């Protein structure tokens, strides 16, 4: 029987067998070649720290409300993973838009096969010949990176700093250059991440534990500070440094899904004196701030085109790549316990 990666308990993963099935008339079966988890919101669920466990976000009230009854979560059945790339091996009789042999990308857990609706399903994405699987599985973070760029109102010639170089920040730094930034600085404590960002176009890189980031950003811009900051780390110390390095009247687009701050944020300092603006950006929140011209679907479409055209380089973002057989221990180490050893984990099923 085929296997899938599941969460058996908070911070514990395992490979378990599952029952496969044949596709129905409207479906295709895909043999998965590569997959990747989501290191942000999925990790919060894996650790048992997500606000969605005890509460839920009510769309009518637009606020978190408590769930009723005992909350046990989905541990023991939850298929870990976010996106996959594979080849269609079977197609139902009603399927006309896909064929056996097509290489596709989709959303779903890390497992050997997926059976997917193939009629009017935008999220079963055809991959053109030559498209990197690493670019494909970065479709999700790319959406939130692009949303942050747009919500920051970055314009040609602006100076930019990106805090945090996980997949989200690494893609954001590249998009800032594509959007016309004249200077892009990146900030992360992990040497390999900073070096990778410099290789694909960042102008400067700083270490937040050894550099006074705010002062360095002021020095790099003739005391002015950067026009735009994209904050992806979720750290209160990073936000404090961002406020210190931001130009007067500049904008911070906060795209990280932060946890509760425990101290270190002082809004009585630069934030109070420098007319700072903070926008909390989430690409999938509707209506989009630029509705009706822009929507989450338009952001998705633009990101997929950029990834297909290799205008975003994800080769060093998917790191490391480990065999499927090692995915349980690899998930626990690279995603949860020692995230400094990875950027966005890749899983090979070949």
């Amino acid at each position: 029987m085929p296997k899938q990666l599941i969460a058996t308990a908070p911070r514990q993963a395992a490979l378990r067998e599952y029952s496969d099935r044949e596709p129905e008339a409207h479906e295709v079966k895909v043999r998965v070649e590569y997959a990747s988890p989501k290191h942000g919101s999925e990790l919060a669920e894996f650790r048992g720290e997500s606000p969605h466990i005890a509460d839920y976000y009510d769309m009518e009230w637009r606020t978190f409300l408590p769930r009723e009854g005992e909350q046990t979560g989905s541990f023991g059945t939850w298929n870990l993973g976010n996106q996959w790339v594979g080849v269609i091996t079977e197609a139902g009789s009603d399927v006309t838009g896909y064929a056996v042999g097509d290489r596709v990308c989709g959303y779903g857990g890390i497992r050997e096969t997926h059976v997917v609706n193939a009629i009017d399903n935008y999220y079963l994405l055809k991959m053109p010949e030559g498209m990197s699987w690493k670019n494909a599985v970065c479709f999700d973070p790319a959406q939130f990176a692009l949303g942050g760029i747009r919500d920051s109102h970055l314009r040609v010639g602006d100076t930019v700093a990106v805090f945090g170089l996980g997949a989200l920040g690494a893609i954001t730094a590249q998009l800032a250059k594509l959007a016309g930034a004249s200077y892009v600085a990146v900030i992360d404590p992990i040497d390999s991440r900073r070096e990778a960002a410099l290789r694909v176009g960042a102008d400067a890189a700083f270490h937040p534990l050894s550099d006074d980031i705010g002062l360095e950003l002021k020095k790099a811009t003739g005391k002015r500070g950067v026009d735009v900051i994209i904050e992806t780390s979720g750290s209160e110390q990073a936000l404090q440094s961002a406020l210190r390095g931001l130009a007067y009247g500049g904008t911070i687009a906060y795209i990280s899904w932060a946890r509760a701050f425990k101290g270190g944020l002082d809004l009585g300092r630069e934030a109070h004196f420098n007319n700072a603006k903070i926008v909390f950006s989430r690409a999938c929140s509707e209506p989009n701030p630029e509705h009706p011209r822009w929507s989450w679907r338009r952001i998705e479409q633009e990101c997929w085109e950029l990834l297909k055209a290799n205008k975003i380089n994800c080769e060093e973002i998917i790191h490391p790549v480990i065999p499927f057989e090692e995915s349980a221990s690899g998930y626990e180490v690279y995603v949860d316990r020692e995230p400094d050893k990875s950027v966005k984990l890749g899983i090979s099923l070949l």
Side-chain angles (χ1 to χ4, degrees):
M1 294 180 68
K3 293 182 178 180
Q4 62 182 355
L5 181 66
I6 67 165
T8 57
R11 310 188 81 163
Q12 295 179 25
L15 285 174
R16 293 286 187 267
E17 293 181 343
Y18 66 92
S19 297
D20 207 355
R21 66 177 179 86
E22 296 304 304
E24 296 182 11
H26 64 288
E27 295 176 320
V28 296
K29 178 180 282 189
V30 179
R31 172 175 51 79
V32 177
E33 296 180 332
Y34 301 99
S36 183
K38 191 169 184 174
H39 289 230
S41 53
E42 182 179 304
L43 176 58
E45 299 276 0
F46 183 66
R47 289 174 170 171
E49 298 173 348
S50 170
H52 293 293
I53 294 175
D55 301 325
Y56 72 98
Y57 184 75
D58 188 286
M59 288 297 297
E60 181 180 358
W61 290 83
R62 292 195 178 275
T63 191
F64 278 93
L65 298 174
R67 295 184 185 275
E68 296 180 0
E70 183 180 358
Q71 303 305 316
T72 59
S74 55
F75 291 104
T77 60
W78 173 27
N79 187 191
L80 291 166
N82 179 232
Q83 289 199 274
W84 47 262
V85 164
V87 175
I88 295 175
T89 58
E90 299 178 49
S93 58
D94 292 344
V95 175
T96 58
Y98 302 87
V100 171
D102 283 351
R103 200 165 189 235
V104 292
C105 174
Y107 277 95
I110 299 167
R111 60 198 322 221
E112 293 185 57
T113 62
H114 276 283
V115 177
V116 188
N117 171 44
I119 296 178
D120 297 326
N121 181 4
Y122 172 77
Y123 293 107
L124 185 59
L125 296 158
K126 282 188 178 181
M127 294 174 60
E129 186 176 352
M131 182 180 185
S132 166
W133 70 269
K134 293 183 177 181
N135 272 27
V137 298
C138 282
F139 177 53
D140 188 300
Q143 299 166 35
F144 295 92
L146 180 56
I149 292 289
R150 295 197 60 81
D151 289 342
S152 76
H153 298 291
L154 188 161
R155 290 178 289 184
V156 173
D158 278 349
T159 54
V160 177
V162 177
F163 282 73
L165 289 173
L168 184 56
I171 293 171
T172 300
Q174 294 185 45
L175 288 176
K177 276 291 189 179
L178 285 175
S182 61
Y183 170 85
V184 175
V186 293
I187 298 94
D188 196 280
I190 300 172
D191 294 344
S192 60
R193 293 184 180 186
R194 297 195 309 276
E195 292 162 2
L198 289 169
R199 284 193 289 272
V200 292
D203 297 291
F206 301 109
H207 192 305
L209 303 182
S210 59
D211 298 325
D212 181 337
I213 301 302
L215 193 58
E216 291 297 333
L217 294 177
K218 292 288 179 69
K219 289 177 181 177
T221 54
K223 300 181 182 179
R224 185 179 59 245
V226 293
D227 301 297
V228 168
I229 289 176
I230 315 289
E231 210 300 295
T232 78
S233 73
S235 161
E236 57 261 53
Q237 289 81 15
L239 182 55
Q240 190 72 53
S241 293
L243 289 164
R244 182 167 164 79
L246 186 68
Y248 184 90
T251 298
I252 298 172
Y254 200 95
I255 61 178
S256 172
W257 188 26
R259 307 296 176 262
F261 288 169
K262 298 180 180 179
L265 182 63
D266 185 350
L267 297 181
R269 297 178 68 86
E270 287 82 5
H272 182 72
F273 286 87
N274 290 342
N275 192 25
K277 300 175 180 64
I278 303 178
V279 56
F280 291 89
S281 176
R282 182 172 177 265
C284 59
S285 290
E286 299 280 30
N288 185 275
E290 296 178 276
H291 174 81
R293 293 182 299 109
W294 278 84
S295 63
W296 183 22
R297 176 53 51 83
R298 184 174 175 186
I299 288 173
E300 291 174 321
Q301 291 170 337
E302 293 301 325
C303 282
W304 188 246
E305 292 303 314
L306 289 169
L307 290 162
K308 284 199 304 183
N310 293 316
K311 292 183 178 179
I312 304 171
N313 183 344
C314 300
E315 290 304 304
E316 293 188 77
I317 293 173
I318 303 299
H319 173 80
V321 179
I322 62 172
F324 178 59
E325 294 75 16
E326 300 174 11
S327 58
S329 60
Y331 192 101
E332 292 177 0
V333 172
Y334 294 114
V335 180
D336 181 23
R337 295 200 300 264
E338 301 180 62
D340 57 303
K341 293 184 175 180
S342 69
V343 182
K344 182 173 172 62
L345 181 63
I347 308 293
S348 173
L349 290 89
L350 292 177

